[in-house]
Amino acid sequence: MSTKTTRGKGKVSNNEEYREISPADFFYRNRDLAGFSNPTRSLYSAIRELLENSLDACELYKILPNIHIRLSLEGDTEDVKDSYTYRIRIMDNGSGIPPEHIPSSFGQILFGSKYRLRQVRGTFGLGGKMAILYGQITTNTPATIISSVGNGKSYEFLIRIDILKNKPEVLNKKVHKNKIAWHGTIVDFLLDGNYVRAMPRVLEYLRQTALVNPYAEITFIDPSGRLYKFERVTFVMPEPPKETLPHPYGCDVELIRRIISASKCTDMLTFMSTHFHRIGKKTAQRFLTYAKIKKKTNPHKLNSSEIVHIVQMMKTYGDFLPPDASCLSPLGKDLLGAGIKKELNPEFIHVEQRKPSAYSGFPFIVEVGIAYGGDIPASSGIILYRFANKIPLIYDEASDISRKVINEGINWRYYKIAPNLPIAIISHICSTKVPYMTVGKEFIADRPEIEREIKAAIKTVARYMRIFLSRKNRIEHERKRIDLFARYLPKVAKFSTELAGKKKIPDIEPLLRSIRRYGKKED
Amino acid sequence: MAKKRIKRQSSKKKRIKRQSSKKKRIKRQSMKKRKEMTLKKLRSFGGVLYNQLNKGEFPWIEMPSRSTSNILYDDRLKQYILGKKHVKRSSRNIRHIRPVTQLVWTASFAYTLNKQGKTSTLRDIFYSAQAFDVPFKNQQESDNIITDLETVLGFAREDFNIFPEERSQIFGDLTIEYTVPGYEGNSLNLTTHPDGLAIGPALTTSDFKSTKANKIIVIEKGAMFTRLIEEKAFKKFKAILIHTAGQPPRSTRRIIRRLNKELGLPVYIFCDGDPWGMAIAITIICGSANAAHLKELATPEAKWMGLYSSDIQKYKLPSTKLKVIDIKRLRDMRKDPRYIAKPWKTQITHFLQNKRKCELEAFSRYGLDYVVKKYLPEKLNRL
């Protein structure tokens, strides 16, 4: 029996058990993917995901964010362990969630409001729920969610996630009166982690978040009771992103199929001009002629080879207008500048925003700032702060495209920028789809279009830095020059008077003044 | 040979007689006068800068350039001199303000030194400057400024009482009279101490009173210097012995020149038989490029006595092979205008052919008194 092998003939007995797993189950099994690999990293990821959700909840409705995070130790803390149990509580003043959506928003993986084309921090509707799921599996306790949309009532839910079914389980529900019309959300649950180890990353993350969100007020109380407050420095907020239709360059077969099934259009001309970004009647007509498709064709009757044909034509037709940037919400020169000033306190700063550009049908905008001095330490190279859709990227800097451009793409000598100057570059990429290399959202892939924009932006700010540095050098040089005269000329006068046997030292003030006048002319 | 020797001695006697009548008077005056002249020069240097300042000008100084292109060999004087190129140092110039200040300070410091009759060393100057907040970066910088002051004033630093660290010695029948404070008028015979006396500030500034010697022998090595004292060579040859300890310091070169000029004594230089020994001899005779701005250091009448390359063969002295660097040096010397005259040129050729060199100590091979009994008499006779 054991020597018999199957040669593709006859019946093969298969004892494997095939079964479907829920998304919650999948992420429970593969939590490393979402950044919940160990107690240190998990605590950091939990704080990060919840904070980003809160910021999104405020910004989409143009509410100035006020976010409070509190982390406190729970239970026994005597023993030295790898991980401790913490209570995390985060409160925002965002739009709030309608009560009927609260359980699913926090208890069902891959459910949410973010599966649309506009610039938001979160993209998968995964992070916040993963944090709660992680808390549940490490401490076996439910999570408390309180939310109100600003009407007379607020709702409190005690939920746990049914992992196998990917469904929220409501253990308790309370309705409170909300006379002050508070709106926002509070999330409160227990989780295991190691704050002592995670602390540097958490604080760096908060600091950089404050840099790129200068209109937000973030307070954080750590387990030892220490308060970190990141103050708001401006009341101006960027325009919230508008929702947009997919651009033809970014479409694939599956997307077209979905659009068709949701569409009420009965001919290709209206179909093309209603469902795609930057396609009007004229463009639709020209495209259909190019693709050799009849205007009257009913999109619902297209077979799959015809859909494939349309997608191919979309990729090769060169005359679509590039996607516009109304779905993006960049910070802008002033806000990014304010954030940099607030966190780095630099001597000099310059910020540039590039015009919108696109890669594979996804619009993006690059914003780059450069700063000198202040709290920026002098290190052997240029310090880089990376942001994407207003999220700081902390890890894997070496693989990031901005670092690549700084290290390889630019001749710094041309800009008179030597190593070990206190210089920081802040790069911010906004896009409806940031091309992260991994699910961990830590670094951005080498897209030639993005690389080109980053390079151009860095070159522009570097030019301003060169002007600043040479001016600074000139002033420094001038000051040294005047100091040198002021130091030595009186001595020449004194010694020569002594040597000549005279009593009265000649007045050298006019000479020193002439040096100064001359100095000013040079400027 | 005998004839020659008598003739020589008689002529020398005559010369000493001729000079001895004026000697004392002139000499005493000269040291004092020189001091006064130095002080006057320093004062007037201060005066120039003072007047410029009073006129509302940035003080400036002009002096001959000491760059290599401006150092020329003067055939008539048989020494290096500075050419016509001048440099201007203006305190208006950011690069010059510091050196100008240092120069004025050094001048005023030297003036005070001279006034108080004190002496100082090059190293001292470097440290003293710090007390006046005119710091020098290193001693090289302060040495350089002192050389500038020499160039500006035309006086050697020994004239304004700044001396290098001493290491050379003198021994012989010469009576000197000190001019340094506390010893003024005291006289001393230089045979007093059997180790010889250090050529320091006090000796350099003293007047020469009387001597029974009729020549000066300058020796490169300490061992040979001691040997000649022990073997009573100074008596036998009526010689004042001077030990240079390698390249002679400038104060030693001054002493040699003064003994030659003031007492009219011929000078014989006795060095190792190699290119480096020859360089020592030529520095005493023609001066060095480094001191081209000063005229009173060289002794053009001095004679190179040995060791010649031909001596090595003639006296069968133990010798070693020339090294590559020695040969390179000899080749360079061929192009040097100072080595064009007779003994030099032929000896350089001889060295390059024979390819051997020899130290003064090599004479010990034939007994301790060989050099005194055999070599020196023969050599002195021939010169």
Side-chain angles (χ1 to χ4, degrees):
Chain A
M1 277 285 274
S2 58
T3 53
K4 265 193 180 173
T5 51
T6 318
R7 296 205 174 154
K9 279 179 190 170
K11 196 187 166 207
V12 182
S13 71
N14 189 334
N15 299 325
E16 290 288 324
E17 185 191 342
Y18 291 92
R19 65 187 172 96
E20 187 191 31
I21 62 166
S22 76
D25 203 9
F26 173 78
F27 281 104
Y28 166 69
R29 290 160 189 243
N30 300 293
R31 52 186 178 272
D32 294 22
L33 278 181
F36 289 84
S37 47
N38 61 52
T40 309
R41 183 85 195 257
S42 302
L43 187 60
Y44 162 79
S45 296
I47 292 173
R48 173 182 173 156
E49 297 292 354
L50 294 169
L51 177 59
E52 283 164 14
N53 283 350
S54 290
L55 284 169
D56 276 342
C58 297
E59 261 172 47
L60 291 178
Y61 297 88
K62 230 184 167 184
I63 301 164
L64 285 168
N66 278 328
I67 296 164
H68 305 277
I69 309 163
R70 198 179 65 206
L71 195 65
S72 47
L73 264 172
E74 286 281 313
D76 151 53
T77 56
E78 292 289 296
D79 306 337
V80 177
K81 293 185 288 192
D82 255 7
S83 67
Y84 301 88
T85 304
Y86 296 90
R87 173 173 297 277
I88 186 168
R89 182 184 162 90
I90 179 162
M91 179 170 110
D92 66 54
N93 62 337
S95 56
I97 303 161
E100 64 274 20
H101 290 312
I102 292 175
S104 290
S105 296
F106 290 92
Q108 185 175 355
I109 303 272
L110 303 177
F111 174 93
S113 57
K114 291 183 177 175
Y115 305 109
R116 285 184 276 184
L117 274 177
R118 61 181 171 182
Q119 176 196 331
V120 284
R121 292 180 176 78
T123 43
F124 306 113
L126 183 67
K129 283 147 252 183
M130 272 308 296
I132 291 171
L133 180 66
Y134 177 80
Q136 181 179 319
I137 61 174
T138 52
T139 64
N140 195 27
T141 50
T144 306
I145 318 290
I146 303 167
S147 189
S148 172
V149 292
N151 52 21
K153 283 172 184 167
S154 69
Y155 300 86
E156 180 175 336
F157 285 84
L158 192 64
I159 60 162
R160 56 186 302 139
I161 300 171
D162 184 332
I163 297 171
L164 290 176
K165 291 188 192 143
N166 188 24
K167 284 275 187 260
E169 223 181 295
V170 179
L171 304 178
N172 198 353
K173 180 185 171 183
K174 284 183 204 161
V175 182
H176 302 284
K177 279 186 181 159
N178 180 17
K179 281 184 185 160
I180 52 166
W182 170 78
H183 55 85
T185 306
I186 298 170
V187 180
D188 187 322
F189 62 96
L190 299 180
L191 82 171
D192 277 4
N194 189 330
Y195 178 70
V196 178
R197 287 207 201 128
M199 185 169 77
R201 297 172 178 190
V202 170
L203 294 181
E204 183 62 23
Y205 174 78
L206 291 175
R207 192 169 78 95
Q208 291 195 24
T209 302
L211 188 157
V212 81
N213 298 282
Y215 43 83
E217 183 154 306
I218 303 167
T219 45
F220 171 59
I221 300 170
D222 81 357
S224 60
R226 204 175 290 138
L227 170 77
Y228 298 89
K229 186 163 186 185
F230 301 90
E231 281 181 44
R232 174 181 296 133
V233 288
T234 173
F235 291 94
V236 183
M237 283 182 75
E239 276 306 310
K242 292 192 182 77
E243 221 178 293
T244 186
L245 299 168
H247 191 276
Y249 287 150
C251 289
D252 56 26
V253 177
E254 181 55 29
L255 186 63
I256 302 279
R257 215 192 289 275
R258 284 187 194 186
I259 295 170
I260 290 171
S261 68
S263 174
K264 291 185 182 114
C265 303
T266 48
D267 65 283
M268 276 310 285
L269 190 62
T270 23
F271 176 78
M272 286 303 296
S273 52
T274 7
H275 292 294
F276 295 95
H277 187 45
R278 284 297 180 111
I279 300 184
K281 276 257 147 55
K282 275 186 187 164
T283 318
Q285 237 161 6
R286 267 187 240 128
F287 171 73
L288 290 173
T289 322
Y290 168 80
K292 299 195 177 84
I293 299 169
K294 281 183 196 137
K295 286 184 219 165
K296 298 281 178 200
T297 314
N298 187 341
H300 295 281
K301 288 184 179 154
L302 291 170
N303 62 31
S304 34
S305 68
E306 279 165 329
I307 293 178
V308 171
H309 173 72
I310 289 177
V311 171
Q312 278 168 353
M313 287 297 115
M314 278 175 165
K315 296 261 194 281
T316 52
Y317 182 71
D319 288 343
F320 292 124
L321 288 170
D324 77 13
S326 59
C327 52
L328 299 181
S329 171
L331 278 169
K333 277 187 174 191
D334 295 344
L335 277 181
L336 186 54
I340 295 169
K341 273 186 204 140
K342 171 187 157 194
E343 290 305 319
L344 300 176
N345 188 28
E347 212 180 303
F348 169 79
I349 180 175
H350 187 84
V351 181
E352 277 293 318
Q353 186 184 58
R354 296 286 301 167
K355 288 213 175 76
S357 183
Y359 77 94
S360 346
F362 299 106
F364 70 92
I365 288 179
V366 167
E367 295 175 299
V368 167
I370 197 164
Y372 176 94
D375 298 340
I376 303 165
S379 74
S380 58
I382 289 168
I383 296 173
L384 173 64
Y385 293 102
R386 297 170 296 135
F387 301 94
N389 287 356
K390 297 175 202 156
I391 301 175
L393 310 179
I394 311 259
Y395 295 110
D396 297 320
E397 182 186 303
S399 322
D400 190 271
I401 186 161
S402 297
R403 180 43 86 190
K404 192 182 140 199
V405 169
I406 289 173
N407 285 2
E408 295 161 23
I410 286 168
N411 178 8
W412 290 104
R413 215 179 294 159
Y414 172 78
Y415 298 99
K416 305 234 159 57
I417 294 176
N420 63 49
L421 285 177
I423 289 179
I425 284 181
I426 296 89
S427 77
H428 182 210
I429 297 162
C430 324
S431 179
T432 49
K433 184 174 183 294
V434 177
Y436 293 114
M437 202 78 143
T438 58
V439 190
K441 286 193 216 164
E442 288 301 358
F443 65 98
I444 292 170
D446 306 7
R447 294 281 181 160
E449 298 90 344
I450 294 183
E451 181 174 344
R452 193 185 59 229
E453 286 297 304
I454 290 178
K455 197 165 173 176
I458 291 181
K459 279 184 170 176
T460 312
V461 295
R463 269 201 294 283
Y464 284 90
M465 182 55 80
R466 182 172 75 170
I467 294 166
F468 164 76
L469 285 178
S470 59
R471 195 183 144 69
K472 187 180 161 68
N473 281 343
R474 212 164 50 234
I475 291 168
E476 179 72 2
H477 182 257
E478 198 46 39
R479 199 183 53 72
K480 273 195 187 151
R481 205 174 74 94
I482 289 168
D483 280 0
L484 212 60
F485 280 111
R487 182 176 170 197
Y488 285 111
L489 211 54
K491 292 195 203 301
V492 175
K494 180 174 165 268
F495 294 133
S496 59
T497 309
E498 279 172 16
L499 197 55
K502 308 278 185 191
K503 291 242 164 62
K504 192 180 150 282
I505 296 177
D507 183 17
I508 53 161
E509 273 311 309
L511 287 178
L512 288 177
R513 268 204 301 279
S514 77
I515 292 286
R516 244 167 238 141
R517 268 209 304 279
Y518 179 70
K520 265 180 198 150
K521 242 185 268 164
E522 263 185 347
D523 255 15
Chain B
M1 266 221 335
K3 242 188 211 169
K4 229 182 188 174
R5 196 188 295 166
I6 292 161
K7 207 176 165 191
R8 249 191 117 74
Q9 277 182 349
S10 66
S11 77
K12 231 159 257 170
K13 257 178 205 162
K14 232 188 273 166
R15 212 184 303 166
I16 288 173
K17 224 183 253 169
R18 196 176 345 114
Q19 289 186 339
S20 60
S21 52
K22 305 178 212 164
K23 225 189 309 179
K24 275 176 203 165
R25 201 165 16 90
I26 293 167
K27 228 79 38 55
R28 283 220 154 168
Q29 282 288 338
S30 83
M31 281 323 284
K32 227 178 169 182
K33 233 184 189 168
R34 227 183 141 76
K35 273 274 120 78
E36 276 163 18
M37 269 167 63
T38 316
L39 288 174
K40 207 176 138 201
K41 268 263 173 156
L42 284 167
R43 264 200 310 275
S44 73
F45 171 62
V48 168
L49 299 184
Y50 181 83
N51 289 339
Q52 290 166 343
L53 274 167
N54 249 354
K55 273 189 276 170
E57 278 177 37
F58 280 93
W60 56 273
I61 297 150
E62 203 171 51
M63 59 176 150
S65 160
R66 291 201 311 278
S67 73
T68 1
S69 61
N70 201 38
I71 297 177
L72 313 166
Y73 185 70
D74 187 312
D75 246 346
R76 200 170 44 79
L77 289 173
K78 300 248 178 280
Q79 76 158 89
Y80 279 116
I81 55 158
L82 295 180
K84 290 203 176 103
K85 241 197 302 184
H86 275 66
V87 290
K88 189 176 164 182
R89 291 260 174 86
S90 172
S91 58
R92 178 70 188 80
N93 185 324
I94 189 74
R95 277 196 297 277
H96 291 167
I97 175 80
R98 221 167 81 91
V100 166
T101 313
Q102 290 167 337
L103 190 60
V104 185
W105 173 79
T106 311
S108 92
F109 188 76
Y111 188 78
T112 324
L113 272 182
N114 278 263
K115 269 278 181 193
Q116 298 172 345
K118 287 187 179 160
T119 65
S120 184
T121 65
L122 293 172
R123 192 85 186 137
D124 263 345
I125 297 289
F126 169 63
Y127 283 116
S128 303
Q130 293 177 3
F132 293 85
D133 193 27
V134 253
F136 292 103
K137 272 188 213 119
N138 45 44
Q139 202 193 324
Q140 202 186 351
E141 196 182 52
S142 69
D143 288 359
N144 205 18
I145 290 291
I146 292 162
T147 314
D148 279 350
L149 189 60
E150 291 179 326
T151 316
V152 171
L153 302 182
F155 277 86
R157 60 179 179 237
E158 288 78 10
D159 287 316
F160 32 85
N161 287 12
I162 298 167
F163 293 86
E165 302 290 339
E166 285 315 323
R167 54 205 163 108
S168 53
Q169 290 134 295
I170 185 166
F171 183 92
D173 185 5
L174 172 69
T175 307
I176 56 151
E177 192 178 297
Y178 290 112
T179 62
V180 289
Y183 288 84
E184 291 135 318
N186 286 11
S187 57
L188 178 80
N189 188 280
L190 297 185
T191 49
T192 317
H193 190 73
D195 285 344
L197 283 130
I199 303 178
L203 208 139
T204 318
T205 55
S206 55
D207 287 324
F208 303 145
K209 264 183 88 183
S210 64
T211 182
K212 281 183 194 142
N214 62 13
K215 65 174 77 60
I216 294 154
I217 300 177
V218 179
I219 301 134
E220 179 189 345
K221 291 277 181 71
M224 182 55 75
F225 177 71
T226 315
R227 169 82 38 250
L228 295 189
I229 297 171
E230 282 173 3
E231 298 297 329
K232 306 266 188 266
F234 64 98
K235 265 188 192 155
K236 188 175 174 189
F237 302 115
K238 292 200 171 177
I240 295 169
L241 307 176
I242 291 176
H243 168 219
T244 66
Q247 269 293 356
R250 281 168 35 171
S251 52
T252 309
R253 276 146 66 190
R254 281 278 312 274
I255 279 277
I256 295 169
R257 181 186 163 93
R258 280 184 62 205
L259 288 168
N260 174 256
K261 295 279 175 204
E262 293 177 17
L263 302 179
L265 302 179
V267 177
Y268 301 98
I269 306 163
F270 192 26
C271 308
D272 284 347
D274 59 26
W276 318 99
M278 290 170 79
I280 289 170
I282 210 81
T283 305
I284 294 167
I285 296 167
C286 299
S288 57
N290 277 342
H293 58 292
L294 296 169
K295 293 231 164 60
E296 301 196 357
L297 295 176
T299 315
E301 284 87 37
K303 288 210 163 68
W304 179 41
M305 181 165 70
L307 283 170
Y308 289 0
S309 181
S310 52
D311 293 342
I312 300 174
Q313 276 189 327
K314 189 174 166 193
Y315 295 94
K316 297 194 173 57
L317 294 169
S319 60
T320 52
K321 221 172 163 237
L322 285 179
K323 287 184 180 154
V324 180
I325 187 169
D326 298 325
I327 291 170
K328 189 178 173 296
R329 181 70 213 246
L330 283 162
R331 295 223 169 98
D332 288 344
M333 284 159 94
R334 273 179 160 171
K335 292 173 216 144
D336 192 320
R338 295 178 298 174
Y339 297 101
I340 277 171
K342 192 75 192 295
W344 307 106
K345 208 173 180 182
T346 45
Q347 289 305 320
I348 289 170
T349 318
H350 200 282
F351 266 120
L352 285 170
Q353 279 166 1
N354 198 27
K355 291 200 165 53
R356 310 292 295 180
K357 62 178 178 181
C358 168
E359 288 187 294
L360 286 181
E361 290 87 339
F363 283 108
S364 308
R365 163 76 178 75
Y366 300 108
L368 295 179
D369 54 357
Y370 180 77
V371 65
V372 179
K373 280 197 175 140
K374 174 100 171 134
Y375 180 80
L376 284 178
E378 283 185 22
K379 215 50 197 198
L380 285 169
N381 242 337
R382 219 173 309 129
L383 284 169

